[in-house]
Amino acid sequence: MSKWVWFSVCIGWCLGSLLYGLDTTIAADVQGSILESLGEIEKLSWVGSGFPMGSVATILLLGYCYGLFQIKWVYLGSIVLFEIGSAICGAAPTMDALIVGRVLAGIGGAGMYLGCLTYIAMFTSLKERSLYNALAGFCWGVGCILGPVIGGAFADSNATWRWAFYINLVLAAVSAPIYIFCFPRCDPHPNLIAKEKWKKVDWLGAFLMMTLICLLTIVLSFAGSTWRWQSGGSIALWVLFGLSLIAFSLQQTFAIFTTEEHRLFPVQFLKSRTLILFYFGTEAAGTGLFITIYYVPLYFQFTKDDSAIEAAVRLLPFITVVIFFIMFSGALLPMFAWYNAWYLISGAFILIGSSLMLRVTQTTHAAAIYGFEIIIAIGTGLSVQIGYSLASAKVKPHEVAQAIGFINVAQIGSVSIALSISGSIFQNMGFKHLQDSLAPYNFTESQLRLALSGAQSTLFSNSSAQVKELAIGAVTRTISSIYGLLIAAGVLMVMSAIFMKREKLQLTHSVAGG
């Protein structure tokens, strides 16, 4: 294709990656406004977790479709689904409608991001690919980190939180000509008719994967907060999750109602120590990115009484450094391709930064928080995107699409799992800390639960200075403890790097149509 067409294509998938990243985190700073408008605090966590749940539940199916069907139509279909979900979110009359919209947008967004990575894999050489993947990660990362800022700006304006979702419709309409007229077609299997392609899809595996992810997200979100750990509902969900995990594992291992060639999960990758360690490294980096994005603004909202937009602006040091190191790693990876060193350095920075955040209190100076952010940002930026290029270089040409989906499960799956676990920690430990700190004041359970939804709750706004101080201290201890999850991610990345091969990949030859 001509240079100007390729340039237009790059603009298109950059915008798609930006929108996907934006919607991944845009709920971080609009939840308080949504709660005021729609109520149902027990469902509030789904505003954040519903989007990544929809993504990770369908990533493998979407990745398989990109390796089987005409990629342009899969990409355009993903955009349409993303916009339908955004429209439902913007117009949602109830919390249930909003959650449905978030899940649909998550599915469409995952298809958009996978489409971007698939176009890169199909039309670039290995030498170029790491830089293009870094560009995609740059756009996705910018969207992720600007999500709270833009969401907070809409929530604090007359436009209201609904335009945090409606804005996707406007941007899609403006860029539609690029997607329709400039994006090239590429059929991985031109000799197969559509009916034959549909028969090759592992529909049972797709259903079991969706069931598995949905059950995991539900049980992590509700157990301990909405339902007690020992309640029948929690136990039943854990049992169902375990059974679905076993069923999916057996179905994929023995290719039940499918074939080894067409099964959804690339089981053969589990025989590769290197690919498994790439998966762990990507998951650890994603955890570092999203824990920081969600909980740094929350810390400042409670301790400094920041508005949504003011708290989000506190992420600017993190934004700048993550973006720089995503591009830095993408540019240097072909020249310094000893990948174990990248993950070792990245893990060390994440481990140091999260250990410092674990010690944060309500009196910690803002400048210190910015410094801790930057340390974590260096670690996450160095490794959050390189797994795509490395995994593509380690597999056979016909497995590139599967490798992209495999790493994407790690990256987006880390969002869903990290937010679900951290949300459970925040709700459970936050309630316990508030209950212990405010025991003499006889607040009800519902008042304490509501206080965790934001510093604007009545417990903070209508209480004495002493009560507010005790409550802020309790919430701050809870937020700090969440960084224990990030310490675990740093340890995982360091251990993964230690067990990786001491080899340098040759990212110079061309594959998969490059």
Side-chain angles (χ1 to χ4, degrees):
M1 71 186 79
S2 64
K3 290 183 179 180
W4 78 265
V5 171
W6 177 242
F7 177 76
S8 299
V9 170
C10 291
I11 293 296
W13 55 249
C14 281
L15 180 59
S17 299
L18 179 71
L19 288 177
Y20 181 46
L22 195 70
D23 263 50
T24 302
T25 60
I26 205 164
D29 259 7
V30 301
Q31 294 185 80
S33 300
I34 291 173
L35 182 63
E36 291 179 10
S37 177
L38 302 180
E40 298 188 275
I41 187 174
E42 70 278 3
K43 299 177 182 178
L44 187 63
S45 64
W46 282 92
V47 178
S49 61
F51 186 89
M53 184 195 76
S55 294
V56 75
T58 54
I59 279 175
L60 291 179
L61 176 60
L62 290 165
Y64 187 86
C65 289
Y66 274 113
L68 185 63
F69 296 97
Q70 170 62 252
I71 64 174
K72 180 175 181 176
W73 303 131
V74 180
Y75 191 81
L76 290 177
S78 299
I79 293 174
V80 170
L81 186 59
F82 177 77
E83 298 303 332
I84 290 173
S86 298
I88 292 173
C89 289
T94 65
M95 190 68 82
D96 289 338
L98 179 63
I99 293 169
V100 170
R102 289 289 286 164
V103 173
L104 290 177
I107 297 170
M112 290 161 58
Y113 192 52
L114 277 175
C116 162
L117 299 172
T118 302
Y119 268 107
I120 291 172
M122 293 293 181
F123 293 97
T124 65
S125 68
L126 274 178
K127 185 176 182 180
E128 300 167 327
R129 192 165 303 154
S130 62
L131 187 57
Y132 278 108
N133 279 331
L135 180 60
F138 166 84
C139 296
W140 176 73
V142 168
C144 287
I145 300 168
L146 290 181
V149 179
I150 294 174
F154 279 121
D156 289 343
S157 71
N158 292 330
T160 76
W161 59 269
R162 294 184 183 276
W163 270 94
F165 304 107
Y166 281 144
I167 191 66
N168 294 331
L169 305 177
V170 177
L171 294 174
V174 170
S175 56
I178 294 177
Y179 298 123
I180 295 172
F181 299 112
C182 294
F183 269 56
R185 298 184 183 187
C186 182
D187 191 340
H189 296 278
N191 297 324
L192 295 177
I193 62 174
K195 185 177 180 180
E196 293 174 332
K197 291 180 179 182
W198 283 104
K199 288 181 178 180
K200 291 181 180 295
V201 177
D202 180 9
W203 295 112
L204 178 59
F207 172 77
L208 291 174
M209 175 71 175
M210 293 176 193
T211 302
L212 174 69
I213 297 301
C214 290
L215 284 172
L216 178 61
T217 306
I218 291 170
V219 73
L220 289 176
S221 298
F222 287 165
S225 54
T226 304
W227 301 322
R228 298 186 183 279
W229 289 106
Q230 67 272 25
S231 69
S234 293
I235 295 172
L237 280 175
W238 279 114
V239 171
L240 287 174
F241 166 72
L243 292 174
S244 65
L245 177 60
I246 293 171
F248 180 70
S249 301
L250 292 174
Q251 190 265 339
Q252 292 295 294
T253 301
F254 298 104
I256 300 171
F257 294 113
T258 185
T259 64
E260 291 187 3
E261 181 185 0
H262 300 297
R263 59 189 170 193
L264 194 67
F265 187 84
V267 176
Q268 69 274 19
F269 289 177
L270 299 182
K271 299 177 182 178
S272 169
R273 180 183 72 182
T274 301
L275 291 176
I276 292 173
L277 295 175
F278 287 164
Y279 185 99
F280 289 156
T282 303
E283 194 164 44
T287 299
L289 183 65
F290 283 91
I291 291 294
T292 307
I293 287 173
Y294 266 78
Y295 287 97
V296 164
L298 195 63
Y299 169 85
F300 283 111
Q301 283 183 291
F302 277 104
T303 61
K304 309 299 181 185
D305 200 26
D306 283 358
S307 66
I309 184 64
E310 289 171 338
V313 168
R314 305 272 196 174
L315 277 172
L316 285 175
F318 188 76
I319 293 172
T320 306
V321 176
V322 166
I323 290 171
F324 174 81
F325 278 95
I326 285 176
M327 297 304 296
F328 176 82
S329 62
L332 288 190
L333 186 62
M335 294 178 279
F336 190 85
W338 285 279
Y339 52 82
N340 63 305
W342 287 97
Y343 285 106
L344 184 62
I345 296 170
S346 175
F349 274 101
I350 291 174
L351 195 53
I352 293 169
S354 56
S355 298
L356 292 169
M357 287 297 294
L358 190 67
R359 301 176 62 85
V360 164
T361 67
Q362 65 201 87
T363 59
T364 302
H365 198 278
I369 304 293
Y370 299 151
F372 303 159
E373 282 182 42
I374 289 172
I375 296 172
I376 296 173
I378 294 171
T380 56
L382 284 173
S383 59
V384 74
Q385 202 68 12
I386 62 175
Y388 291 105
S389 298
L390 296 173
S392 297
K394 291 292 290 185
V395 301
K396 299 173 183 178
H398 69 273
E399 294 177 326
V400 169
Q402 287 181 305
I404 290 172
F406 183 70
I407 296 299
N408 205 230
V409 169
Q411 190 178 69
I412 307 304
S414 67
V415 181
S416 181
I417 294 172
L419 293 184
S420 295
I421 294 176
S422 62
S424 180
I425 292 172
F426 185 70
Q427 290 294 326
N428 287 293
M429 292 190 65
F431 174 75
K432 185 177 185 303
H433 287 322
L434 283 172
Q435 195 175 44
D436 293 342
S437 299
L438 302 177
Y441 298 94
N442 298 317
F443 285 105
T444 65
E445 180 176 342
S446 61
Q447 287 176 309
L448 297 179
R449 295 282 184 196
L450 188 62
L452 293 171
S453 68
Q456 289 75 35
S457 69
T458 55
L459 188 149
F460 288 96
S461 58
N462 298 331
S463 299
S464 65
Q466 183 179 8
V467 170
K468 288 176 65 175
E469 190 72 14
L470 290 171
I472 290 171
V475 175
T476 302
R477 289 196 302 275
T478 305
I479 293 174
S480 298
S481 68
I482 289 172
Y483 284 88
L485 182 61
L486 196 46
I487 291 175
V491 171
L492 176 64
M493 186 178 289
V494 169
M495 295 303 297
S496 297
I498 291 172
F499 285 101
M500 286 177 182
K501 296 178 180 178
R502 307 312 192 256
E503 66 174 351
K504 179 182 179 181
L505 288 182
Q506 297 299 318
L507 302 178
T508 56
H509 59 282
S510 171
V511 298

